[in-house]
Amino acid sequence: MSTTPPNRYQLTDLLRIMARLRDPKDGCPWDIRQDFRSIVPSTLEECYELAQAIEHGDFSHVAEELGDVLFQVVFYAQLGAERDLFSFDTIVDTLASKLVRRHPHVFAEGEIEGVVTQRSSVESVKASWEAIKRDERRAKSQGGVLADVPLALPALSRAQKLQKRAAMVNFDWPDTRAVLAKLEEEIAELRAAMAAGQQDEITEEMGDILFSCVNLSRHLGEDAEATLRRASGKFERRFLAMEASAAAAEKDLQTLSAEELDALWEAAKASVSRQSS
């Protein structure tokens, strides 16, 4: 027998809570003041907090973070309903219709319970998925290959998505060696711009290097955003360990020489490596 207590609230309760929060007379002053644009930063923040909980394996908080993301959806649904633009039911219907439409290899004849007996390969599913999305873009008068790649995406993720779209029409490097050669070329061009002291050129070449790094990551089968987040996390852990060592020795990092900082850094790298092994 399960000892888990029954849930007190359901989705209908959550929708009602949101309506109460937005009630012009008795609702929350902060929630009443919000609009579509004002809650976008909160939406992005909640998504990043969810990603962080998953990356850290902090599954005790994943459900909570998922709830926070769901609340953002419910908030937008309430705003849409108030202006007769759309409702939560509209969101669900649109999503369900899109999922069924984009998975004909699962849902026979466009029915949720329709079963396709012939199994599809991953490659054929990807090809079908992209073809369906192209048709959807054409229906929205967004026929271009790069159409509908969101400007609000993090720069690394957007660069990767643009490159993947271009690769769909074979505008891509043939292999990893070619990408590496291009990266080395961009680095040489940055060196030349730095030697000439041309700040505009330095900025442009630095951007080309980052774009090439994303391309290399993609060719290696890595997600650039996730890879950089992992590297940033590793740097953060090592730097914190370095700070802790300096504090234990009653030393201030700002007063240490380059050699002393390097020694602390190497010790921190070894310490963090042992802890993670």
Side-chain angles (χ1 to χ4, degrees), residues 118-147:
Q118 184 176 354
R119 294 183 62 84
S120 302
S121 66
V122 174
E123 291 72 20
S124 66
V125 168
K126 284 184 176 180
S128 174
W129 177 272
E130 293 301 337
I132 292 170
K133 290 179 71 175
R134 281 198 300 273
D135 291 340
E136 291 174 355
R137 288 196 292 272
R138 290 193 189 100
K140 298 177 183 176
S141 299
Q142 297 175 334
V145 173
L146 303 183

Side-chain angles (χ1 to χ4, degrees), residues 253-274:
L253 290 180
Q254 292 182 326
T255 65
L256 299 181
S257 65
E259 291 76 13
E260 290 173 314
L261 287 172
D262 188 59
L264 277 177
W265 178 254
E266 291 300 324
K269 285 172 60 178
S271 172
V272 172
S273 178
R274 287 194 299 272

